[in-house]
Amino acid sequence: MTYKTATTIDEQHLVAQIRQATTKANRNNVTRTQAYLTFYLEHQEVHWALLAHLVSRNGGWNMTDLKGEWLPLIMDAQAIQPFFWFLERCNWLIFHDAYPQLLLYAEMKRTGRDLTKLLVPLGVSVFMQSYWQEFLASKDSVSITHALIVNEQQYIEQRVVQRPFTLNHIFASFAFVAQSALSMNQVLLPYKAHPTDRRLSLIGLNVHHFPDVLYRIQVGKTLYHLLFGDRFRFEKMLSYCSHIPHTGSRADYWPHLFTPLHTPLTAEVEYQLRLDGHELLEGSPKIYSPRLQDAWADYGHDPADGVDWFRDEKWYLAVKESASLPSIDSDSYVRSLQWIEYGVKLVSAIT
């Protein structure tokens, strides 16, 4: 096979190697999440890789929620699989597009060669070529991170978000509206604020307008600032990522409330409240949050489709724009959990 811009046999071989490595690491949410972290630890100037690792952790938590304690009580059983498809497809597509860019950068860094012309045969938008060229020269971590945020959200926009199935069966569903109303859609960044703390602290965002690409870009930029904007907190977040393997269970960050071990409840007609602030009510079991491997089998994806999204130079301006959405902390998250639990109890009692 020949490529229009891969002009030598060595370059064609490199493209094939990158595609093969991407396919291998793109097996499921756990393998993707680990691949992002492994890359970041070797190339810490590429901030986006660590951001992607943490966002991908959240994607895994959202996937396992579908088989966890609460969502099956408020979702129709037939709606669970489409929701998983939506989360998994977004996670898979972003990795499919972004990870080859990371691997190509690693090769350019190793060899000192500008190989950005190979982005096209790798299926990457022409939007990214100038940003990678600039990054090779300047190592401007902020600019390349913002560009990747814009690119990856545009990449899933036409391929998932704006598809009729997604608009009609995901965003218009009762489950999606209920999750938004109950603030069940968060992105959380865990860290140990003080060495003596018994529990991890959390900072992050509530996400309410996922169908809006500009809003998703703002979410990405705000999370980037929360992750890298405070050096002390960043070091603690990196320590968490490095020391706590991602399993998909929310017990990865708050094992005092969540457990990956399922204990079926017996003789219980309706859901009983369990939370008392940051604690469980005395005698209450932990909230079931399964590991990914226990919740979902690997999913076989159709090939990535669509065309290059870049048609309007206004998106260059979007890279430069700042964003600062309201953040949440551990106390805010606990309040959200309590609202979720109240909502689950109410909905499950009337359905």
Side-chain angles (χ1 to χ4, degrees):
M1 180 182 295
T2 61
Y3 302 104
K4 184 176 180 180
T5 54
T7 56
T8 71
I9 297 297
D10 286 345
E11 288 170 350
Q12 293 175 30
H13 181 61
L14 175 60
V15 167
Q17 282 185 316
I18 288 174
R19 285 178 165 170
Q20 183 179 24
T22 300
T23 298
K24 181 178 180 181
N26 207 4
R27 187 162 62 86
N28 57 48
N29 170 262
V30 170
T31 59
R32 285 171 216 132
T33 306
Q34 181 57 47
Y36 284 136
L37 179 62
T38 299
F39 180 89
Y40 175 75
L41 293 176
E42 295 175 359
H43 309 280
Q44 297 195 20
E45 66 277 17
V46 186
H47 293 178
W48 185 87
L50 184 61
L51 175 64
H53 167 79
L54 279 160
V55 172
S56 191
R57 279 188 183 247
N58 280 267
W61 297 331
N62 291 331
M63 291 175 193
T64 61
D65 284 345
L66 294 167
K67 294 288 188 75
E69 189 81 45
W70 286 336
L71 285 186
L73 295 177
I74 65 172
M75 291 182 69
D76 185 276
Q78 293 181 333
I80 289 177
Q81 180 69 34
F83 263 76
F84 171 71
W85 170 85
F86 167 68
L87 295 169
E88 167 68 12
R89 186 64 173 172
C90 289
N91 200 234
W92 183 89
L93 279 170
I94 289 174
F95 190 89
H96 175 80
D97 184 69
Y99 195 62
Q101 298 180 59
L102 303 184
L103 296 183
L104 184 63
Y105 167 72
E107 181 65 12
M108 292 190 290
K109 180 179 173 182
R110 186 184 71 84
T111 62
R113 298 172 58 202
D114 181 349
L115 299 170
T116 55
K117 67 179 181 179
L118 300 184
L119 291 168
V120 172
L122 286 168
V124 178
S125 171
V126 295
F127 174 80
M128 287 305 303
Q129 185 163 352
S130 63
Y131 287 104
W132 281 114
Q133 288 172 337
E134 291 172 10
F135 185 63
L136 289 174
S138 69
K139 293 297 187 288
D140 183 347
S141 298
V142 175
S143 180
I144 193 65
T145 300
H146 282 189
L148 282 163
I149 289 169
V150 171
N151 184 68
E152 300 318 319
Q153 291 309 317
Q154 289 285 7
Y155 190 75
I156 65 170
E157 178 74 358
Q158 63 168 282
R159 292 168 174 84
V160 181
V161 177
Q162 294 303 322
R163 287 294 174 90
F165 178 85
T166 308
L167 295 173
N168 297 327
H169 296 278
I170 303 297
F171 298 144
S173 68
F174 167 77
F176 185 85
V177 174
Q179 288 180 54
S180 181
L182 296 172
S183 295
M184 296 180 77
N185 300 319
Q186 296 112 353
V187 182
L188 304 172
L189 309 178
Y191 65 103
K192 192 170 187 177
H194 304 287
T196 57
D197 286 353
R198 294 187 300 114
R199 294 170 185 164
L200 295 174
S201 297
L202 302 171
I203 193 169
L205 298 175
N206 283 320
V207 179
H208 292 297
H209 308 290
F210 192 89
D212 184 343
V213 65
L214 289 173
Y215 175 77
R216 295 198 310 274
I217 290 169
Q218 286 187 310
V219 167
K221 290 181 178 180
T222 302
L223 290 169
Y224 176 43
H225 176 72
L226 292 176
L227 175 56
F228 283 90
D230 181 307
R231 187 67 191 179
F232 173 81
R233 190 170 61 206
F234 161 75
E235 294 291 350
K236 301 299 182 181
M237 290 177 180
L238 180 57
S239 178
Y240 166 79
C241 295
S242 301
H243 292 95
I244 306 297
H246 173 60
T247 71
S249 172
R250 292 188 182 274
D252 290 352
Y253 62 88
W254 271 9
H256 67 288
L257 292 185
F258 298 99
T259 178
L261 304 177
H262 188 33
T263 305
L265 301 178
T266 58
E268 187 170 68
V269 176
E270 63 182 36
Y271 181 83
Q272 300 300 311
L273 298 177
R274 303 182 194 179
L275 295 177
D276 181 17
H278 287 255
E279 309 291 339
L280 290 167
L281 290 167
E282 186 175 353
S284 295
K286 293 181 180 181
I287 300 156
Y288 176 52
S289 178
R291 293 179 290 262
L292 185 78
Q293 66 184 29
D294 299 324
W296 296 103
D298 291 352
Y299 187 87
H301 285 268
D302 293 331
D305 52 0
V307 297
D308 192 334
W309 65 267
F310 184 56
R311 294 290 185 274
D312 192 331
E313 292 192 357
K314 73 177 183 180
W315 295 108
Y316 290 135
L317 298 177
V319 172
K320 297 178 180 179
E321 292 172 353
S322 60
S324 182
L325 297 175
S327 63
I328 60 173
D329 58 12
S330 297
D331 291 337
S332 303
Y333 178 58
V334 165
R335 288 193 292 270
S336 293
L337 290 180
Q338 290 181 302
W339 276 111
I340 294 167
E341 193 178 41
Y342 286 132
V344 168
K345 182 174 175 62
L346 175 63
V347 173
S348 62
I350 63 177
T351 56

